[in-house]
Amino acid sequence: MTLPADADIDAAELRAAMTAALTDAGGLTDPAWRAAVAEVPRHRFVPAFYLPADEPGEHGLTVWEPVTAELDYGRWLAAAYSDTTLMTQFDGDEPDWQRPVERHGGAPTSSSTLPSLVVRMWAEAEVQEGHSVLEIGTGTGYSTALACQRLGSAAVTSIEVDPHRLEMAAGALYGSGYTPTLAVADGLYGYWPQAPFDRVVAACSFRAVPPALIAQTRPGGKILLTLSGWLYGYARVLLTVGADGTAEGSLLGGTVSFMSARTHAAPAFGNPAHWAASLPETARAARHSPERITAATEEAFHLRFLAQCAGPDTQLTTVGEVVHLVDVVSGSAASLTPEGGTWQVRESGPFKLWQQIEAVLDAYDAAGRPRPEAFQLYVDNGSQQLRLRHPLMAGLSLPRP
């Protein structure tokens, strides 16, 4: 898309204001990253995007309003220099930005991540001058541009699974004077032609650490990625790669989430009523409320990831007041129903899904409710274990990569 001729001039003041705001908020403590944010023209990388409307639409779905310079120049430019994630694609379908229309609901599949998080990720990966980096998930190219501004384009490789998204990003990058190595590739397999790398940073999430990323990282190098799964539990980890091909590192705090790598996305499980029909009539009292993993709290965010490790193929949905758990791999199912201040659970199949999660919650409570930073992830010969130095939480396994 062609941007207005005055956009670069009008953007300068807004970019300076965003840089100052991020600095004041403590998000730009490194002068080199602060200089990069002050220089990179984010508006060139987001010529069109969606913002949520103030009110939900029919059936409570989020209404996503298209934003372009042609539709509303002031709103477009102000949003480009806000510390906000800007959605650019839903359900893998590329919008027709010549005739943009509202969207109702949908699963985001590409975006421009909020600038404070972009810089935080590069900083947490301990990226320094002289490092060669692999970025997984080019998206709009804004994050890539910041890395190029800091390290020089020759040090940056960025891959994207969506060809059209990469084409758009490449145009913005090259048009802004940045020339990193770009390729259409699946992040699960990294990018061997440019390996090895000193740092690997992923802007998507994986169910487990892809072995190719470890193999493509120099000994002593670091990998920063987000782990996720079908319960939509998330944890970020910073791994250090050993000379023997192993890797280990601590989980990081916070409640950051990223879209799943497309090959790791959850499968459709059908109608919850069909799964519920296989459940026994008899129920037992649940030891834990499902709200422990569904509440909008930082602890529930962390617990959902731990629960997910206990049931990596489990998915969750709520219909009315009933919480359904479904495992499309084993055929196991469970439902939790509130009754008189307690929850009643019914389970069927080879695995007792809620019982598995309850065991994790029991151990978590007995261990003193440890924060994410207390857990270490060990990756060795295909085995991926999340461990805590506490006898009651000996270890949780991630799915095999």
Side-chain angles (χ1 to χ4, degrees):
M1 296 179 65
T2 303
L3 298 181
D6 293 337
D8 285 348
I9 297 172
D10 295 340
E13 185 175 344
L14 290 172
R15 185 163 61 253
M18 183 183 77
T19 304
L22 294 178
T23 301
D24 292 343
L28 285 177
T29 56
D30 185 328
W33 287 120
R34 185 161 59 248
V37 172
E39 185 67 27
V40 175
R42 191 188 188 204
H43 66 281
R44 295 187 190 175
F45 297 90
V46 288
F49 48 85
Y50 291 97
L51 290 176
D54 293 335
E55 299 293 334
E58 189 178 6
H59 307 302
L61 296 175
T62 300
V63 176
W64 294 97
E65 298 174 340
V67 180
T68 67
E70 289 184 353
L71 291 172
D72 188 332
Y73 179 76
R75 187 187 189 196
W76 164 73
L77 198 57
Y81 288 101
S82 65
D83 192 28
T84 305
T85 293
L86 306 174
M87 300 301 175
T88 54
Q89 187 191 78
F90 292 85
D91 302 318
D93 299 325
E94 191 61 32
D96 180 359
W97 289 114
Q98 300 305 316
R99 292 175 290 275
V101 296
E102 285 185 347
R103 290 192 61 102
H104 291 249
T109 47
S110 190
S111 68
S112 177
T113 303
L114 64 161
S116 62
L117 179 54
V118 170
V119 175
R120 175 179 164 188
M121 290 177 62
W122 288 124
E124 286 179 333
E126 301 173 11
V127 172
Q128 300 290 336
E129 285 77 3
H131 283 163
S132 61
V133 302
L134 171 65
E135 177 189 42
I136 299 172
T138 312
T140 65
Y142 175 67
S143 174
T144 318
L146 289 175
C148 291
Q149 185 69 34
R150 169 74 187 266
L151 303 173
S153 295
V156 180
T157 299
S158 186
I159 60 175
E160 169 62 51
V161 73
D162 187 313
H164 186 78
R165 283 285 99 202
L166 188 69
E167 182 181 1
M168 296 287 288
L173 284 162
Y174 298 152
S176 300
Y178 303 112
T179 57
T181 298
L182 301 174
V184 176
D186 189 327
L188 258 63
Y189 307 104
Y191 198 62
W192 280 105
Q194 296 298 114
F197 303 98
D198 296 298
R199 297 291 186 269
V200 176
V201 176
C204 61
S205 63
F206 299 97
R207 298 185 74 203
V209 181
L213 302 187
I214 296 175
Q216 292 174 28
T217 303
R218 288 190 178 93
K222 296 181 185 292
I223 301 171
L224 177 69
L225 52 73
T226 302
L227 299 169
S228 67
W230 298 347
L231 277 180
Y232 297 101
Y234 297 89
R236 291 184 312 134
V237 64
L238 180 62
L239 295 167
T240 300
V241 174
D244 56 356
T246 62
E248 64 178 87
S250 298
L251 298 190
L252 304 178
T255 55
V256 175
S257 60
F258 276 100
M259 302 168 195
S260 295
R262 296 192 184 183
T263 46
H264 278 192
F269 57 78
N271 188 335
H274 297 165
W275 291 86
S278 67
L279 296 172
E281 293 185 6
T282 56
R284 67 172 177 85
R287 295 198 308 278
H288 296 277
S289 161
E291 293 165 339
R292 291 205 64 186
I293 64 171
T294 61
T297 65
E298 188 169 343
E299 183 181 61
F301 187 94
H302 173 42
L303 278 176
R304 192 156 56 250
F305 177 73
L306 298 181
Q308 185 175 270
C309 294
D313 300 321
T314 304
Q315 297 182 69
L316 181 151
T317 189
T318 301
V319 180
E321 292 186 307
V322 180
V323 177
H324 296 273
L325 298 168
V326 171
D327 180 340
V328 300
V329 177
S330 71
S332 302
S335 70
L336 292 107
T337 306
E339 290 184 12
T342 64
W343 287 83
Q344 297 295 311
V345 59
R346 297 184 296 150
E347 299 175 284
S348 66
F351 301 112
K352 305 304 182 192
L353 300 182
W354 190 245
Q355 185 173 306
Q356 290 182 162
I357 292 174
E358 285 181 318
V360 172
L361 297 177
D362 288 341
Y364 171 80
D365 290 342
R369 301 190 172 189
R371 292 182 55 80
E373 298 90 335
F375 290 85
Q376 291 281 122
L377 180 64
Y378 296 84
V379 184
D380 184 11
N381 296 324
S383 171
Q384 302 196 11
Q385 282 273 323
L386 191 65
R387 299 175 190 167
L388 177 73
R389 290 197 179 102
H390 194 287
L392 296 176
M393 290 198 80
L396 293 168
S397 295
L398 272 64
R400 292 191 66 83

